[in-house]
């Protein structure tokens, strides 16, 4: 058999352990598929003692990742440490040493991509990151190669499994946000500090990557509005349901006349549509292309083995590329020359909205009349009116969000919920 | 800009015209994405006169494809003639001339793949065929690269839009097979001679390709059982609906203890599942991986521009590969070394079934009792019993199909409908 390509893994967490297991259980088949051996040779982690359910005998073990990078026998480095600190150093030093890099680190790519892409090119190597968005689902390959001939018009994704689990539980169990979050934490779906997920930050990192691939845009997660799910009340879930919708946290981008509108926000999607059917911790992406029409992708967005499957698929691609001298075959993050008009402010966008206001006890009919009147004064037409407990819920005709906010400016923000309705999904 | 890669297109039908339009409307962006020009230079068709809504000025036009193949300036040939006659000659002669080939021709690949794959390798070139299965949806890339590190356990696809349209219309309009077929023909979804689609042949060609990619199997469409939708009655659609299912024509393959079970057949799938939601002429594929779990893909399975989008994505891949000298980077059709046990007879498989028998007028209760008794005598347990007009419908516990067939052997085949229930989809 031809000479081997050797892999060094940094970070033995959930995904790292999955990568080790996948090599151990399926490595022989992977070698047959490649036609040459892809060898997991070295592992680095500050903790080499904890029991992880995989044998570490036979690998060169390092406590310091630098020793792994310095090993000239390692061709590809897998960075699975996470975060933007040490992980950035690992990726930088690996690329500078001419090694290829695979990573699942969306935070790093979203924040430091602009520094990392050129570094890879400069050193004649490349970086792969399929696992960073939608876990096991090969959506980055779909955007970068499968739909390469297309002009992407819009994309909408459920890209954070924790939020989707919490929203699904709220609907299915009828339980409030806090207890659904608690259950997600008990099951390990949510971190002890859940803010990174529930505030939409993780989804924003992934959207930043998708914006590059789909629209050629170089955008950071601070460049577009981000709203999480912490303010979704059980009364919103119920009212949405009665109106024929489900609430999902969406990472969205669409091409408009003035540029690309991008945002992360909870939205109402039709109960009968493809995204409403994506329950639990699953992820999904819906892509509208000018030529391809709509294609949809769904599957596990997290988990040790599903994510490891995407990481190892990347290793196979990097290994082939290395042997053929084809590094940089496809631009890692779309083509900036294709970006037209850049990002435009989400405030420019018109859409239908769901508005819920808290009404004081006994003021039901008055509150509804007052709400309709106030909205009408700003040119916002109410399409439907419903009650959610003692709250009043309306849906509007297409309008700019600012008009609704202006109509309600005298109410405390805590008593107002404004959510976008995405009828086409 | 770097030197151009030049494409010659053979076959100006629906997809071919879409390819021309895509180049005309989006070619500049494609060049920017590639970093070099991909030029549609020549077109061959026996009919260069018909109005197709695209300008043909500026292309070298040929009535005989041979002149196009003989042109040393053409690097890649797109075969969109269809069928296994002239198309085979076009593909063969293009590969022998060292050109790369893109095609959407599933019949050719299913029947003559074994001859074509080695030919490409022999001449140091390659063949791409994303558009041949599930049209615009990049499922072949997903199987070949995105899920490359995985062990595929099963796949189920709605891969023929014509059949899916007819079945969807039967359910939604409550109209019988014959008139749904007539409407499909009027709308151009079905050919004047619809047998190729409705008898399952087209689905079988696509399944043959999927078997190679997912399981490394070299199977022809004659190597597994194929059943179409012609015998689906409106009473089956109705009874399935009342039982909580929809009927879909599925191309299925799953790894069993004795090998891979493959077949094309109409099945009952749960109304709440992912495949039931795939309506009209759409296509979808559900893949179960040992590591990735379940991923699903859906979108347009046919149509001029959606299919052209997949063809041109292939052209971009072939062009990159050509410039980098990376032909054969990924084996076109999986790795035969990974096939374990080969195909095994579908008769070996146990599953739940839907059985409908025609009962003569007035014999309702008797017919039901007799059916249950006959099935019981062969060890087939009836789980539910329902009526469909004057017919009797039962669903069974898991059993081999042969046991049901044996129990009903004295009835005329015309009066019996046996359909697999795929509860997990």
């Amino acid at each position: 058999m031809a000479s081997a390509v050797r892999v060094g893994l940094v970070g033995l967490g959930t995904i790292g352990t999955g990568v080790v297991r996948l090599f151990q259980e399926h490595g022989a088949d992977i070698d047959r598929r490649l036609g040459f051996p892809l060898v997991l040779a070295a592992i680095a982690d500050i903790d080499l003692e904890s029991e992880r359910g995989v044998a570490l005998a036979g690998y060169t073990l390092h406590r310091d990742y630098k020793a792994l990078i310095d090993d000239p026998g390692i061709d590809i480095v897998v960075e699975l440490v996470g975060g933007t600190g040490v992980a950035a150093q690992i990726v930088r030093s690996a690329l500078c040493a001419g090694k290829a890099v695979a990573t699942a680190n969306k935070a790093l790519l979203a924040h430091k991509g602009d520094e990392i892409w050129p570094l890879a090119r400069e050193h004649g190597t490349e970086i792969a990151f399929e696992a960073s968005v939608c876990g096991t689902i090969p959506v980055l390959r779909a955007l970068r190669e499968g739909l390469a001939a297309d002009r992407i018009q819009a994309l909408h994704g459920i890209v954070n499994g924790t939020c989707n689990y919490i929203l699904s539980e709220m609907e299915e169990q009828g339980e409030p946000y806090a207890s659904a979050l608690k259950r997600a934490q008990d099951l390990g779906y949510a971190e002890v500090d859940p803010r990174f997920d529930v505030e939409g930050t993780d989804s924003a990192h992934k959207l930043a990557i998708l914006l590059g691939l789909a629209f050629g845009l170089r955008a950071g997660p601070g460049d577009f509005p981000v709203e999480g799910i912490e303010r979704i009340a059980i009364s919103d879930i119920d009212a949405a349901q009665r109106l024929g919708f489900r609430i999902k946290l969406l990472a969205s981008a669409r091409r408009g006349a003035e540029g690309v509108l991008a945002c992360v926000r909870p939205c109402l999607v039709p109960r009968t549509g493809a995204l409403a059917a994506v329950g639990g911790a699953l992820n999904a992406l819906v892509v509208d292309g000018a030529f391809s029409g709509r294609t949809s992708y769904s599957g596990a967005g997290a988990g040790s083995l599903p994510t490891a499957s995407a990481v190892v698929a990347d290793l196979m691609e990097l290994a082939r590329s290395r042997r053929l001298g084809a590094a940089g075959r496809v631009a890692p993050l779309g083509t900036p020359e294709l970006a037209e008009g850049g990002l435009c402010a989400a405030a420019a966008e018109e859409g239908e909205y769901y508005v819920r206001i808290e009404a004081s006890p006994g003021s039901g009919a008055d509150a509804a009349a007052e709400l309709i009147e106030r909205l009408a004064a700003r040119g916002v037409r109410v399409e439907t009116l419903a009650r959610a407990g003692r709250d009043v819920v309306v849906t509007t005709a297409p309008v700019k969000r600012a008009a609704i906010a202006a109509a309600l400016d005298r109410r405390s923000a805590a008593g107002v919920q404004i959510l976008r309705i995405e009828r086409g999904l």
Side-chain angles (χ1 to χ4, degrees), chain A residues 129-130 132-134 139-140 143 152 155-159 203-217 219 251-253 284-287 333-334:
Chain A
F129 47 96
E130 180 66 70
S132 66
V133 183
C134 289
V139 294
L140 302 191
L143 285 170
I152 307 298
L155 60 82
H156 300 273
I158 294 173
V159 296
S203 297
H205 290 155
K206 291 162 176 168
L207 181 55
I209 295 171
L210 291 170
L211 284 169
L213 281 160
F215 302 99
L217 284 171
S252 296
L285 188 70
V286 171
V287 183
L333 201 69

Side-chain angles (χ1 to χ4, degrees), chain A residues 381-395:
Chain A
R381 206 176 75 210
V382 167
E383 292 282 352
T384 66
L385 175 105
R387 217 154 281 288
R390 61 188 176 89
D391 295 355
V392 176
V393 169
V394 301
T395 63

Side-chain angles (χ1 to χ4, degrees), chain A residues 104-402:
Chain A
N105 191 334
K106 52 263 177 188
L108 179 67
L109 299 172
H111 283 289
K112 308 204 167 170
D114 275 344
E115 173 202 339
I116 289 168
W117 317 129
L119 206 60
R121 204 169 34 238
E122 229 171 84
H123 291 88
T125 183
E126 57 188 347
I127 177 162
F129 47 96
E130 180 66 70
S132 66
V133 183
C134 289
T136 205
I137 324 167
V139 294
L140 302 191
R141 277 185 177 73
L143 285 170
R144 201 170 48 192
E145 304 206 50
L147 302 174
D150 219 306
R151 179 178 166 84
I152 307 298
Q153 304 288 23
L155 60 82
H156 300 273
I158 294 173
V159 296
N160 182 279
T162 308
C163 290
N164 205 50
Y165 177 83
I166 292 171
L167 293 172
S168 301
E169 284 295 288
M170 287 174 75
E171 177 166 352
E172 279 162 34
Q173 314 295 333
E175 66 184 357
Y177 172 75
S179 54
L181 169 59
K182 174 77 171 47
R183 175 156 358 166
Q185 287 170 322
D186 292 347
L187 290 169
Y189 287 144
E191 304 291 329
V192 178
D193 178 354
R195 285 176 298 177
F196 190 70
D197 290 316
V198 299
E199 291 179 355
T201 312
D202 176 70
S203 297
H205 290 155
K206 291 162 176 168
L207 181 55
I209 295 171
L210 291 170
L211 284 169
L213 281 160
F215 302 99
L217 284 171
R218 294 289 179 271
D223 296 339
F224 46 81
V226 177
E227 197 184 322
I229 62 164
E230 323 95 288
R231 291 192 64 247
I232 301 295
I234 191 74
S235 56
D236 295 317
I237 301 275
D238 290 345
Q241 198 167 11
R242 275 183 292 136
L243 291 162
F245 296 96
R246 278 196 179 123
I247 299 177
K248 296 287 182 189
L249 183 67
L250 298 188
S252 296
R254 54 162 66 89
R255 219 183 270 274
E258 294 155 57
V260 174
L261 286 152
C263 60
V264 172
R265 62 187 169 192
C267 292
L268 276 69
V269 297
R271 287 179 67 80
T272 49
L275 285 182
V278 177
L282 292 180
N283 278 196
L285 188 70
V286 171
V287 183
D288 291 328
F291 303 102
S292 56
R294 175 164 292 180
T295 52
S296 306
Y297 311 82
S298 67
S304 174
L305 289 173
T307 313
S309 166
V311 171
V312 181
D314 272 354
L315 293 176
M316 294 171 75
E317 178 168 335
L318 293 171
R320 284 174 167 137
S321 188
R322 210 163 176 82
R323 289 174 60 92
L324 290 166
R329 190 178 60 88
V330 186
L333 201 69
T335 311
E337 293 75 19
L338 294 179
E340 291 161 24
L343 277 180
C344 69
E349 180 201 31
E350 288 212 340
E352 294 175 65
Y353 284 90
Y354 159 105
V355 182
R356 175 175 58 81
I357 59 159
E358 274 181 17
S360 40
S363 74
D366 286 357
E370 194 206 332
L371 175 61
I372 294 175
E373 205 172 283
R374 278 181 171 281
L375 289 168
R378 295 283 177 168
V380 181
R381 206 176 75 210
V382 167
E383 292 282 352
T384 66
L385 175 105
R387 217 154 281 288
R390 61 188 176 89
D391 295 355
V392 176
V393 169
V394 301
T395 63
T396 74
V399 68
K400 286 185 186 168
R401 194 185 200 278

